[in-house]
Amino acid sequence: IGPGSISVAITLGTNPVSSARAFVVTIVAQAVGLAIVCLAIYLIVAKADRVLDKLGRTGAVILTRLSAFILLCIGVQIVWNGVRALLKTL
């Protein structure tokens, strides 16, 4: 899908879990999240014309800015993970 999914995969992969049960729960949660994202992308792409007509120009701008904000949050999480790991080594 693009750099957004790559950054999410890196973020999820850099947060190791401590037990087998937590690992299984994490894998199931990630699979469910992946399925939801895939379904949402499919529905939005399949119905893009209708979605844009319903959103209008202002709604499309809001959706774009919201997507940018979500990617910013993911980037902040990646930076935070790196800073936290660095501080643990000091």
Side-chain angles (χ1 to χ4, degrees):
I1 302 255
S5 23
I6 293 170
S7 64
V8 169
I10 291 170
T11 302
L12 291 174
T14 58
N15 291 319
V17 292
S18 57
S19 68
R21 181 178 177 176
F23 179 73
V24 171
V25 170
T26 301
I27 294 296
V28 170
Q30 290 173 359
V32 169
L34 179 64
I36 291 170
V37 169
C38 287
L39 179 64
I41 290 171
Y42 171 76
L43 291 174
I44 290 173
V45 170
K47 308 291 183 187
D49 293 335
R50 290 184 189 172
V51 170
L52 285 177
D53 288 342
K54 294 220 184 243
L55 285 176
R57 183 174 177 91
T58 304
V61 169
I62 290 170
L63 184 63
T64 302
R65 290 184 181 178
L66 182 61
S67 300
F69 177 72
I70 291 170
L71 286 176
L72 172 70
C73 292
I74 292 168
V76 168
Q77 178 68 41
I78 291 171
V79 170
W80 175 249
N81 287 344
V83 168
R84 187 176 61 188
L86 178 65
L87 291 176
K88 282 183 181 179
T89 63
L90 296 178

